[in-house]
Amino acid sequence: MDLFLNELTSQQIIFSIFLTAKICFWAFLLHGFFGILLAWYLSSEKAPFRNVIDIIISFPLVFPPIATGFLLLMVFGRFGVLGKYLQPLGVEIIFTQKALVLAAFTAGLPLVVKPIQSAIASSAKNLIEASLTLGKSRLTTFIRVVVPNVRKSIFAGLALGVGRSMGEVGITLMIGGNIIGKTNTLSLEIYNAVFDGNYLRAGVLCVILLGVSVILFTLLRRMETRSV
């Protein structure tokens, strides 16, 4: 027990806990904003470039995370497609905590968008059409019709997104760099601990992640029970 507590209170693990919480917080905010808007956009069959955007969002679900990380590296790296324009502006993404947020956001986005998109298409579509027919603006319809009617799917999607963000490794490893004291999240710390043969530390970290996962799973189950 003492060994367990010593590992739990070590400076490296405390840093990783707070870093992971910080990354999940920012990912949650980004998922809450972009995830809901994208789900609303994709629920319209007449939306321009709908299929292309849908494929891009769904990409991380089927493409290996390490390969997704490589693509992001080619886009946001110092000499990448967008990185070369961000560099003169003093914006560094790769191997910074911004890269961790980007990785978490990318990995969790499809798990946020898909449930909300499905809920809008199945349960709110007629209400949306009725609202627009009555002369309400799309913004008013979104705020007063869409969000209240799919709020349970929004909460479920955000919970799944946070869970996925918390456990992200492949993309994070590629664009975050796994720099000790800077970009080593809890999931990467498990990787580091196993690599170093420190199975006690890996076990402690797994217990922490398991506890958070159980909480998220319990919240999801309660929402499902209330929706029945």
Side-chain angles (χ1 to χ4, degrees):
M1 189 63 181
D2 290 338
L3 291 175
F4 182 91
L5 292 176
N6 288 337
E7 287 292 344
L8 184 61
T9 56
S10 69
Q11 199 65 34
Q12 193 166 325
I13 286 185
I14 291 175
F15 172 82
S16 296
I17 291 174
F18 280 99
L19 176 61
T20 302
K22 177 182 176 182
I23 299 306
C24 286
F25 171 76
W26 284 109
F28 176 83
L29 293 182
L30 292 173
H31 285 152
F33 183 76
F34 291 104
I36 298 171
L37 289 180
L38 285 169
W40 162 239
Y41 181 82
L42 293 175
S43 65
S44 174
E45 297 179 357
K46 298 179 181 179
F49 308 107
R50 175 178 179 269
N51 291 333
V52 175
I53 295 174
D54 196 14
I55 290 172
I56 293 173
I57 291 173
S58 304
F59 200 62
L61 289 176
V62 296
F63 202 59
I66 200 73
T68 302
F70 174 74
L71 293 180
L72 290 175
L73 184 63
M74 293 297 98
V75 173
F76 293 100
R78 181 168 296 183
F79 303 105
V81 177
L82 296 179
K84 62 184 177 182
Y85 298 107
L86 296 175
Q87 183 68 24
L89 300 176
V91 179
E92 291 279 352
I93 294 180
I94 302 302
F95 304 145
T96 68
Q97 292 184 5
K98 297 184 186 70
L100 304 184
V101 175
L102 176 62
F105 173 72
T106 302
L109 186 61
L111 296 179
V112 177
V113 172
K114 290 303 176 181
I116 303 174
Q117 180 185 350
S118 177
I120 294 174
S122 61
S123 62
K125 193 171 183 179
N126 292 334
L127 295 174
I128 293 171
E129 292 176 355
S131 177
L132 294 175
T133 301
L134 292 173
K136 301 297 183 181
S137 68
R138 296 188 68 84
L139 179 60
T140 300
T141 299
F142 175 75
I143 295 174
R144 295 188 177 181
V145 177
V146 176
V147 174
N149 279 278
V150 300
R151 61 185 183 278
K152 290 181 180 178
S153 295
I154 291 175
F155 292 144
L158 289 175
L160 291 172
V162 169
R164 180 66 182 87
S165 300
M166 182 179 61
E168 168 51 37
V169 174
I171 303 175
T172 305
L173 187 61
M174 181 61 72
I175 66 176
N178 192 17
I179 304 171
I180 303 300
K182 185 178 181 181
T183 61
N184 53 314
T185 61
L186 279 175
S187 296
L188 288 180
E189 266 306 295
I190 295 176
Y191 171 85
N192 294 334
V194 173
F195 188 79
D196 293 337
N198 191 341
Y199 296 110
L200 176 61
R201 172 168 292 186
V204 171
L205 296 173
C206 285
V207 169
I208 296 172
L209 292 178
L210 177 62
V212 177
S213 299
V214 169
I215 292 172
L216 291 175
F217 178 76
T218 302
L219 291 175
L220 288 174
R221 290 293 295 170
R222 285 188 176 182
M223 283 187 287
E224 288 178 1
T225 302
R226 290 179 181 178
S227 64
V228 175

